[in-house]
Amino acid sequence: MTTTPRVLGGRYEVGELIGRGGMADVHLGHDTRLGRQVAIKMLRSDLARDANFLMRFRREAQSAAGLNHPAIVAIFDSGEDDSTVEGPGGTRTTLPYIVMEYVDGQTLRQKLSEHEQLEPAEAIRITEGILDALAYSHRMGIVHRDIKPANVMITSTGHVKVMDFGIARAIADTAATMTQSQSVVGTAQYLSPEQAQGHNVDERSDLYSTGCLLFELLAGRPPFTGDSAVAIAYQHVGEAPQPPSVWNAAVGGDLDAVTLHALAKDREARYQDASSFRADLENVRLGRRISAAALGTAAAVGAAATQTLPQAYAVAGSPTAVQRPVPSSRYGNTAGLPAVGYAEDEEPEKKGGKGKAALVTALVLALLALVGWGAVTWFGNQTPPVTMVTVPAIEGMKEDVAARTLATNGLRGEKATAASTTVTEGDVVSQDPGSGAQVPENTTVKYVVSSGPDTLTVPDVTGFDKDAAREELTKQGFVVSGFQEENTPDQQKDKVTKTDPAAQAVVPKGSKIRIFYATGNVKVPDNLVGQDWALAAVALQNAGLSPRKEAVDSDKTPDEVLSVDRAGDVVKMGTTITVKVAKAPTPSPSTVTTTVTGTPPPPTTSTPPASPTPPPTP
């Protein structure tokens, strides 16, 4: 049995569903006219009757259609589906769609879910690609306003593609948009302070969001987290972020400085354009000095203010080998010796042949002694040739293997021990001089061996099945003290939502950990009455629920929420919640008044007329 594929605009065949967002579904498609694979983004049918979502969807097509850059997902076409969707009351609604470039790959959010943290070099490469796209869109007058991992694609060949300009606006129009809507657009974890406060935005707001994204690539978590979007927004406005190196030891001081400079609260204090942000990242990657502004920001928040060249993403230069100084001697050469002979005014001794022979013999012996002493002094002062060797990399080796490796390379070892939470007991933690250095043979290399951790970092088991989380924590050296349920939309039923102490907390070895896991239930928000329908729908979706709009006659503002079904109740995630919103009352039929000209007919009555009253009798 075959099914005829749905065709849009007479040329685009709609295939399987390959993506789903809060506003639209994305299908694999085929352009029958050009014979190429495309992606077709269609507004969800339950939102197609809402003017706000229609406006956002159409704006995306308009904003991105004029952008032509290899790091931006291309828009090929847009239109409205001729086959309409039945709405309430028998109305029919047309579904708009956008035809886009099909990208074979995965979103950056999916990549982070697989790897948690990225190597600094990879994080820099991806961020540079995003900044290339933003530099171009800003030159074209478009601010994206929603940079986040879910809106960045990584192709199968590793290229970066920025997508979803659904809430993008022209730079000249952003102030009016924010003021008129009086609502905050964007995603809480990546919201700039000016967005969180409802102020006008510009290209520097995109750079702050990119800084948040870079932070998450390096640290495995956003710079600010909280129980609600409001709590996170407050942190964006008033709290300073910690350097990403707190969560990732591979991040050096210069990359910390660049990230923190992008996250400056005052837009005048952060990077002013995408090109300068990208230039500093390139400097980090190539081991060059970063900008003074970035170093100043890092120093102001107490991070390392000096440039470093971590081995993860820059090649350190080999230290200069210093040879031992040549020891000096009292007489460096024969010019410093006293003169040999006798004074000019000394009268020669008048002696016989024997006296002369004795004198000659003494002079010869003196000369021989002098020559011998000079030879010994000269050759004794010459430094034997120095053999230089390369220091091997012994970090991560077992202690005995490291000692043998140093001896094999003609070096001596000097061991010290120290506690380490990241290196296995008995393995080398660090070495001095570092690997690759050129040093004289028999130089002593100092190295530190791990004695094991005295503290541990709580691993992030969010999203694990609760039993699997217990096994992982036990394996890491913790004691699971118990489980606790909580109603949350963040995870599916029986999946871990958080731990106490929280992930990444540093605690003593053997500490007790409590695991929180999702019940699969969520609480219906009870503060939506009086809000606009679009905001209420987003709030319900964020709570893990499916909103359904029901318009009723009311004297309230159109689309104002009148009531929310089961508000405050705890229900299963995904439950459909009916939201009654106001609509203008339907006019009732008016009373028809007929105007009659001429003499009106006598009234019809069933009561006989009264008899005339006789005149009074005189």
Side-chain angles (χ1 to χ4, degrees), residues 284-314:
V284 173
R285 177 167 50 84
L286 299 177
R288 298 192 298 236
R289 184 173 180 82
I290 61 175
S291 65
L295 291 173
T297 299
V301 298
T306 55
Q307 185 182 23
T308 58
L309 302 177
Q311 191 173 1
Y313 50 89

Side-chain angles (χ1 to χ4, degrees), residues 307-532:
Q307 185 182 23
T308 58
L309 302 177
Q311 191 173 1
Y313 50 89
V315 179
S318 300
T320 303
V322 180
Q323 298 190 18
R324 294 176 297 173
V326 178
S328 63
S329 175
R330 181 182 176 190
Y331 298 116
N333 53 58
T334 56
L337 295 176
V340 178
Y342 52 87
E344 292 181 356
D345 59 351
E346 182 180 350
E347 186 177 350
E349 185 179 356
K350 296 180 179 180
K351 292 185 179 180
K354 290 184 178 180
K356 292 181 180 180
L359 179 61
V360 171
T361 301
L363 289 173
V364 170
L365 291 174
L367 286 172
L368 290 175
L370 178 62
V371 171
W373 177 83
V376 171
T377 303
W378 172 260
F379 290 108
N381 284 339
Q382 301 309 300
T383 303
V386 178
T387 302
M388 304 298 290
V389 296
T390 302
V391 178
I394 60 173
E395 292 182 11
M397 289 184 178
K398 293 295 182 185
E399 176 186 349
D400 55 343
V401 177
R404 289 198 302 268
T405 302
L406 292 174
T408 302
N409 286 270
L411 298 167
R412 298 175 182 176
E414 181 180 315
K415 184 190 81 170
T417 59
S420 173
T421 59
T422 57
V423 179
T424 306
E425 183 177 356
D427 289 358
V428 176
V429 178
S430 62
Q431 66 181 90
D432 182 28
S435 63
Q438 296 289 320
V439 298
E441 194 175 19
N442 291 322
T443 295
T444 298
V445 176
K446 298 179 180 180
Y447 58 96
V448 178
V449 177
S450 170
S451 59
D454 51 5
T455 60
L456 295 174
T457 300
V458 179
D460 188 356
V461 293
T462 303
F464 283 40
D465 183 82
K466 60 180 184 178
D467 293 326
R470 176 172 56 186
E471 292 178 7
E472 178 65 19
L473 290 170
T474 302
K475 183 174 68 175
Q476 298 267 355
F478 298 97
V479 176
V480 176
S481 61
F483 296 92
Q484 185 169 329
E485 295 181 329
E486 67 172 344
N487 300 322
T488 174
D490 295 338
Q491 297 292 338
Q492 299 295 323
K493 184 178 180 181
D494 290 336
K495 299 296 183 182
V496 175
T497 59
K498 63 183 179 183
T499 57
D500 183 22
Q504 306 304 326
V506 178
V507 298
K509 188 175 182 179
S511 294
K512 293 183 178 180
I513 306 292
R514 176 170 290 274
I515 298 175
F516 291 77
Y517 66 94
T519 61
N521 300 326
V522 294
K523 182 180 179 181
V524 180
D526 56 2
N527 60 344
L528 302 181
V529 174
Q531 292 192 22
D532 184 79

Side-chain angles (χ1 to χ4, degrees), residues 32 35 89 107 239 263 280 334 338 514 537 539 567 587:
T32 58
T107 67
E239 289 190 17
L263 295 177
D280 260 358
T334 56
R514 176 170 290 274

Side-chain angles (χ1 to χ4, degrees), residues 21 101 124 183 201 213 266 347 370 407 480 489 510 515 525 566 573 607:
E101 169 190 7
I124 291 173
S183 61
V201 300
L213 182 146
D266 182 0
E347 186 177 350
L370 178 62
V480 176
I515 298 175
R566 305 188 69 177
M573 190 186 302
T607 306

Side-chain angles (χ1 to χ4, degrees), residues 547-566:
R548 185 174 70 84
K549 181 179 179 182
E550 181 179 325
V552 297
D553 292 345
S554 173
D555 57 356
K556 300 286 186 181
T557 305
D559 273 351
E560 181 178 335
V561 175
L562 303 176
S563 65
V564 179
D565 185 30
R566 305 188 69 177

